[in-house]
Amino acid sequence: QVNLVESGGGLVQAGDSLRLSCTASGRTFIPYAMGWFRQAPGKEREFVAIIRWSGHTHYADSVKGRFAISRARAGNTIYLQMDNLSPEDTAIYYCVADQSGSGTRHWAQGTQVTVSS
């Protein structure tokens, strides 16, 4: 059993910044990677960013240069620093955690980010 707890969503104005965090817990959970997806109203869920425990990061083109993913030095916590937000970033943001070995992907329940113009 893996539990993902997100925090940091909210309502901001265009140009503002927001930081999301996500912590994964579970006795048998060893992370290979953690990251973020998002789903805007009426659209399909899309990839945002991911960080592998090796340190490698990858971003969607739409957020490159504005979003930064990082992880805590200890524990299974990641952060998504979102700068220069626009209304197009409005979505439910889902944290994911990939289990080392099996590759099983676990999903959080999602946190709402709303950017007003």
Side-chain angles (χ1 to χ4, degrees):
Q1 183 78 14
V2 177
N3 187 39
L4 298 177
V5 178
E6 301 166 308
S7 64
L11 171 63
V12 296
Q13 293 187 327
D16 285 350
S17 298
L18 208 57
R19 189 174 86 153
L20 305 181
S21 64
C22 176
T23 297
S25 61
R27 281 196 301 173
T28 61
F29 178 66
I30 300 174
Y32 169 73
M34 292 180 66
W36 300 89
F37 283 70
R38 68 185 181 184
Q39 187 166 19
K43 295 187 177 180
E44 293 187 353
R45 194 171 296 188
E46 64 176 5
F47 167 77
V48 176
I50 197 163
I51 183 166
R52 294 188 174 85
W53 250 232
S54 63
H56 178 75
T57 59
H58 182 61
Y59 297 91
D61 287 344
S62 59
V63 306
K64 278 181 182 176
R66 299 188 300 122
F67 291 12
I69 190 169
S70 61
R71 65 180 181 94
R73 288 184 178 181
N76 301 329
T77 297
I78 63 167
Y79 308 98
L80 185 68
Q81 178 67 37
M82 303 184 292
D83 296 327
N84 193 23
L85 286 161
S86 72
E88 288 69 37
D89 296 314
T90 294
I92 298 174
Y93 283 69
Y94 297 91
C95 174
V96 296
D98 295 344
Q99 173 76 45
S100 180
S102 69
T104 300
R105 172 161 285 173
H106 305 277
W107 291 81
Q109 291 200 339
T111 185
Q112 178 70 47
V113 172
T114 303
V115 185
S116 64
S117 58

